[in-house]
Amino acid sequence: MSDKKNWPLWEIFVRSKNGLEHRHCGSLHASDSEMALENARDVYTRRNEGVSIWVVESKNITASNPEHNGELFEPAQDKVYRHPTFYDLPDEVKHM
Amino acid sequence: MSEEQTKNLEDQFEARIARDEKIEPKDWMPEKYRQTHIRQMSQHAHSEIVGMLPEGNWITRAPSLRRKVALLAKVQDEAGHGLYLYSATETLGISREEMYEQLHTGKAKYSSIFNYPTITWADMGAIGWLVDGAAIINQVPLCNTSYGPYARAMIRVCKEESFHQRQGYEIMMKLANGTTEQREMAQDALNRWWWPSLMMLGPTDAESVHTEQSMKWKLKRKSNDDLRQQFIDQTVPQADLIGLTIPDPDLKWNEERGSYDFGEIDWDEFWQVVKGHGPMNKERMKARVGAWERGEWVRDAAMAHAEKKQEQKEKQAV
């Protein structure tokens, strides 16, 4: 085994066509961002799956912890007044 | 964590899977779930990578440009599939280096089918048609498996595999309709690849050690024997259609079952190959490890170059 450093891991995001958002599609190893882009092209867009690629080194992503899902996401659950159906309107108002 | 707490978490976990919820990398999971997935997913990735070798053997000798670009694209896909699967496995906390290490030292297995030699061009047809055909049958149910990254990787893989099978069948069809020599070459390839392809669907249900747990975790949705029957039932008419004969004297349509009855599989051969005594086990590992070692200076140079560029950028910023 080499004592040199291994290639870091990169997360790959691909925009499938203009008008749509970039979407996470997987990850790969590359020595730098340029190589990550080139490899992403070969690994994730061999069949016209993309018009734009973002690469982000995985260590730079901060992710929420699923164990904290309660405190993070439950407060939204009892706020029904944020949805249009919470409000009673007369039937005569057809579209609002 | 107390035993009771763990048990509680495990029950909740199993209930989530039973509700068809997906498990994602940072979610709590039983250690056995993690280890089983690392084993199966890394073996799957290794199979894709080693699977490039028998076909790569024929790229330079493809009989036409059309066949060559198709085979090249197929082998490139296998590399891609290996990479999707390795990165999905890494989400479970094992590094790429560890996985390579396990492959190269023989600790991790890969599909035994790749330990058979590819001695004629017709083998490219038989592999695409039969080996990829059996792989698709194994893989389609995995698009729904419980571990999110694995399921997502499998969706991509399955989308790409169907071209592989079609290009293989087309090769066989062309040879089967060609000269006598070509027809014989196609039949010979079918004779050699048929039984190993049936073995790809795994040991019989009675012998299979992982089935029950794997069913629960949706790593498996049908038993090995059911998958094998499905493969045979779909493949026999395809052979008939191009005038090739399945090398099984006991093969017979069973009206009552609505399926083909088939002959005894030589499981001794299967276990021999699994244990490393197949015709190409040593050769495959030699090629794989050799490629990895010869590439080391390139990987190191790329890393050194990246570090140098980074340093220059930081200096300029000061």
Side-chain angles (χ1 to χ4, degrees):
Chain A
M1 262 231 165
S2 157
D3 55 354
K4 306 263 173 50
K5 268 196 250 158
N6 292 314
W7 290 358
L9 188 68
W10 301 77
E11 299 302 322
I12 313 302
F13 301 82
V14 171
R15 184 202 296 286
S16 58
K17 62 177 191 187
N18 276 11
L20 295 179
E21 67 279 60
H22 284 77
R23 221 174 138 176
H24 183 248
C25 64
S27 54
L28 50 77
H29 290 269
S31 59
D32 60 17
S33 56
E34 266 171 65
M35 190 199 279
L37 267 181
E38 285 163 9
N39 288 357
R41 188 202 72 143
D42 289 343
V43 177
Y44 292 107
T45 65
R46 287 194 301 285
R47 288 178 176 79
N48 299 313
E49 290 97 335
V51 295
S52 163
I53 303 173
W54 289 348
V55 299
V56 182
E57 204 176 331
S58 309
K59 68 173 187 198
N60 293 327
I61 290 182
T62 308
S64 65
N65 183 341
E67 280 170 31
H68 302 153
N69 275 8
E71 60 209 71
L72 275 178
F73 304 116
E74 271 166 25
Q77 281 171 9
D78 58 4
K79 301 197 171 43
V80 279
Y81 46 85
R82 283 181 177 151
H83 297 278
T85 46
F86 178 73
Y87 299 93
D88 296 326
L89 261 62
D91 291 345
E92 287 78 11
V93 184
K94 290 239 159 51
H95 303 290
M96 186 182 282
Chain B
M1 208 183 294
S2 78
E3 227 168 88
E4 195 183 331
Q5 280 172 314
T6 311
K7 175 86 178 60
N8 208 354
L9 279 171
E10 276 175 14
D11 289 347
Q12 283 174 23
F13 180 84
E14 299 293 345
R16 287 181 65 191
I17 294 184
R19 283 196 301 271
D20 261 332
E21 277 181 39
K22 298 288 180 203
I23 307 303
E24 294 295 343
K26 291 167 90 74
D27 293 348
W28 183 87
M29 61 186 80
E31 197 46 31
K32 201 174 159 213
Y33 181 91
R34 187 184 299 277
Q35 292 311 327
T36 302
H37 278 76
I38 288 177
R39 196 192 65 235
Q40 174 165 337
M41 291 166 69
S42 65
Q43 278 181 15
H44 198 157
H46 298 327
S47 300
E48 299 283 355
I49 295 303
V50 178
M52 288 192 284
L53 298 169
E55 289 179 293
N57 181 32
W58 278 92
I59 291 173
T60 56
R61 290 172 289 157
S64 69
L65 186 59
R66 184 174 188 273
R67 293 286 182 230
K68 187 169 182 161
V69 290
L71 186 59
L72 199 53
K74 178 178 191 282
V75 173
Q76 194 189 14
D77 273 352
E78 317 288 4
H81 297 174
L83 293 175
Y84 308 155
L85 287 162
Y86 278 131
S87 65
T89 316
E90 278 172 81
T91 63
L92 289 163
I94 184 170
S95 72
R96 184 76 58 98
E97 288 67 36
E98 274 174 276
M99 285 188 271
Y100 285 163
E101 177 80 10
Q102 290 178 351
L103 172 66
H104 297 164
T105 57
K107 196 181 157 221
K109 298 260 185 288
Y110 55 88
S111 180
S112 280
I113 193 83
F114 303 118
N115 290 320
Y116 290 88
T118 45
I119 57 183
T120 72
W121 170 252
D123 289 1
M124 297 305 99
I127 288 183
W129 175 32
L130 303 173
V131 175
D132 288 86
I136 291 170
I137 285 189
N138 260 333
Q139 288 170 349
V140 166
L142 289 173
C143 296
N144 263 318
T145 192
S146 63
Y147 189 54
Y150 195 22
R152 291 193 286 276
M154 289 320 299
I155 289 170
R156 300 184 72 89
V157 169
C158 288
K159 256 192 215 160
E160 298 179 354
E161 289 275 2
S162 92
F163 127 64
H164 298 182
Q165 196 185 12
R166 291 173 67 117
Q167 71 92 35
Y169 189 65
E170 197 194 82
I171 291 172
M172 286 305 253
M173 190 171 68
K174 205 75 175 192
L175 291 172
N177 291 319
T179 63
T180 309
E181 271 174 312
Q182 287 172 329
R183 215 202 66 79
E184 281 169 2
M185 193 194 277
Q187 182 63 52
D188 167 66
L190 172 57
N191 292 350
R192 284 181 290 108
W193 290 94
W194 175 252
W195 293 103
S197 299
L198 296 191
M199 294 176 199
M200 269 181 81
L201 284 319
T204 57
D205 295 347
E207 296 270 329
S208 182
V209 283
H210 303 302
T211 295
E212 198 187 335
Q213 182 67 80
S214 295
M215 289 269 189
K216 223 161 82 187
W217 288 337
K218 297 174 181 167
L219 265 172
K220 230 179 216 293
R221 321 239 38 178
K222 284 184 182 176
S223 76
N224 293 349
D225 288 336
D226 286 348
L227 292 172
R228 192 164 11 249
Q229 186 71 60
Q230 185 187 336
F231 175 72
I232 292 169
D233 290 347
Q234 102 181 16
T235 310
V236 175
Q238 293 167 355
D240 290 345
L241 199 64
I242 54 176
L244 295 178
T245 311
I246 303 284
D248 178 359
D250 297 325
L251 190 79
K252 212 173 75 207
W253 178 251
N254 182 324
E255 195 63 56
E256 208 174 300
R257 289 200 305 128
S259 268
Y260 284 91
D261 292 334
F262 55 98
E264 196 71 35
I265 293 171
D266 180 0
W267 291 110
D268 286 343
E269 176 184 320
F270 174 77
W271 291 114
Q272 280 300 311
V273 182
V274 169
K275 284 176 188 140
H277 309 300
M280 298 296 277
N281 294 57
K282 288 206 181 75
E283 177 68 29
R284 298 288 181 242
M285 268 312 99
K286 204 177 121 199
R288 169 64 202 154
V289 174
W292 178 247
E293 284 172 355
R294 286 193 303 277
E296 184 173 310
W297 71 270
V298 180
R299 296 191 298 276
D300 289 347
M303 202 62 234
H305 175 68
E307 281 171 348
K308 202 165 108 188
K309 262 198 328 193
Q310 186 63 30
E311 275 166 32
Q312 278 170 352
K313 218 163 123 190
E314 277 160 19
K315 250 185 230 157
Q316 274 167 6
V318 175

